[in-house]
Amino acid sequence: INTLQNDANLPNRLKDDLEEVNAYWFYKQNVYDSTAYHLQKSISNAESKQDRARSEFLLAQLYELTNQYNKASQFYSSVSAHTVLPLMDIYARLNKAKLLKGTNPNELNNSINQLLKMAKKDKFENFRDILYYSAAELSLQKKDTIASIKYFNKSIQYNQSNLSRKNKAFLQLADIAYQQKIYKKAYEYYDSLQLNDTSLASSID
């Protein structure tokens, strides 16, 4: 890598490839700030909008890991603009919203509204349980338990196959009811948990 970096005759068409290799080398060493630096320089190497979106998603995660939240937010927004995969769009928007923790409630409201609008679109029909679960989590972040209860229940309603997420929704609802001293309701939610879910133990921990 060092030899190629110092090669004055390295063709311009290969420079992005070299940046990508550099990014991977730093990534394997867990040096995430340098990984992000070189990956961003190689982003024009993407062969399609979706390839670009994948690189942008990774960049956003790297900047989040290194506490560069403004850059992380920018790249999550770019993912939503470029991806053709609904699930990637959902998680880009959700991860961006989670960066708002402790900030202006209006920004959280905007993120929740975006998730709810997505839930009404046909192309996100198969992901409504994720969208409502995410909206519920963000509502909890701003301590709006009324809205969070509503959205956790909608997540359960639209959840057809994801046992782990359904259990997490029931667990959140049970915890909210318990904190509100509505013990009968809490018992009903706890009793709804399906114990064959292997991820349930870690959720309870």
Side-chain angles (χ1 to χ4, degrees), residues 32-91:
Y32 298 126
D33 51 350
S34 295
T35 303
Y37 173 79
H38 289 286
L39 182 60
Q40 187 169 346
K41 293 185 74 173
S42 75
I43 206 165
S44 60
N45 211 26
E47 296 180 359
S48 66
K49 287 181 71 174
Q50 185 55 45
D51 284 338
R52 183 182 181 94
R54 289 191 182 96
S55 294
E56 289 168 338
F57 198 98
L58 180 55
L59 267 170
Q61 291 177 308
L62 289 166
Y63 282 127
E64 189 174 350
L65 278 171
T66 54
N67 301 321
Q68 299 180 67
Y69 299 121
N70 287 337
K71 286 186 176 181
S73 179
Q74 290 169 13
F75 278 104
Y76 281 132
S77 294
S78 295
V79 172
S80 291
H82 295 141
T83 187
V84 296
L85 301 178
L87 196 58
M88 182 176 281
D89 187 10
I90 289 169
Y91 279 107

Side-chain angles (χ1 to χ4, degrees), residues 84-91 115 118-134 154-155 158-160 165:
V84 296
L85 301 178
L87 196 58
M88 182 176 281
D89 187 10
I90 289 169
Y91 279 107
L115 292 170
M118 292 168 72
K120 294 178 180 178
K121 295 182 179 179
D122 290 342
K123 75 171 184 175
F124 295 111
E125 181 179 1
N126 294 330
F127 307 103
R128 282 174 179 157
D129 64 317
I130 301 174
L131 290 164
Y132 283 117
Y133 186 90
S134 302
K154 278 186 169 291
S155 176
Y158 287 107
N159 190 326
Q160 299 297 318
R165 188 175 300 112

